[in-house]
Amino acid sequence: KKTLEKKTIEWPKNIFLSQEKHFQDKLASVQYASMETTRGCPYKCIYCDWGGGTYTKVVSKPYTTVLDEIDWIAKNKIPLLVIANANFGILPIVVEISEYIVEAAKKYGYPKNVISENAKNNLDRVEKIKSMFNKAKLLNHYKISIQTIDETIKKNIERIVPPIDRQIQVANNILKDFPDLPIKVETIIGLPGDSYKITCDQIDLIFKYNLPMTRANLWILLPETPAYSPEMREKFQIKTVKK
């Protein structure tokens, strides 16, 4: 219940190194490491809860700490690097961080793959980052997050998303040099205002663009999201089932 003033956060210096003694003997079996370069998300999609950090100012981890953590992951031969930012690419510094990841992978042979969530409204930067990872063979797929194609649903969920045409253009640009890179399309079924017809229209659109229908998620109403409030439930006549 206590409000946290994020500006006063003191980021720990290389959390992996400080905790190393607890898992040093298990490092050989570790398959991935998860790290942040920022915390917070400026968007307010009503279905989303990013650790309580949605619709908040983005706060950056110190640049030198980020580089130290990348070095630690590479030197310790962790195969998969998961970047846990809500919008990787929202800040310009991420391009330099991505370049450092690529150089670390060349130098140490690790990580082998990098996974990150694309920044929603910075597709030019996302394209640059993902192309960089792809050329270094660090990318095992590219994800297009549509969630919904319906304008009324987008308004209901307060989702800001680039047009699907623009997202597909970015994907195609990345695929020019590596046409075999898998594309994953992410949608959510059951958002406020959704219907059987809208879902079918969405499937038709995805196939029209010759894209795979890979991640059709059922909407889960999370307790810390705006949609969970009594006001939102009443406004959209939300009914839930436990399953």
Side-chain angles (χ1 to χ4, degrees), residues 160-215:
I160 299 173
V161 61
I164 185 172
D165 291 352
R166 176 71 182 109
Q167 295 199 64
I168 291 170
Q169 179 188 10
V170 170
N172 287 335
N173 290 345
I174 293 171
L175 288 173
K176 282 179 183 177
D177 296 325
F178 297 90
D180 295 330
L181 182 71
I183 300 294
K184 296 185 179 181
V185 180
E186 182 179 61
T187 61
I188 302 178
I189 297 173
L191 293 168
D194 204 356
S195 68
Y196 174 75
K197 184 180 184 306
I198 290 171
T199 300
C200 290
D201 289 344
Q202 192 157 266
I203 293 169
D204 287 343
L205 182 71
I206 290 169
F207 282 119
K208 171 189 169 184
Y209 283 106
N210 197 30
L211 295 170
M213 190 72 180
T214 51
R215 286 192 64 183

Side-chain angles (χ1 to χ4, degrees), residues 15 27 43 105 167 215 231:
I15 194 168
L27 269 177
Y43 307 109
Q167 295 199 64
R215 286 192 64 183
E231 294 78 15

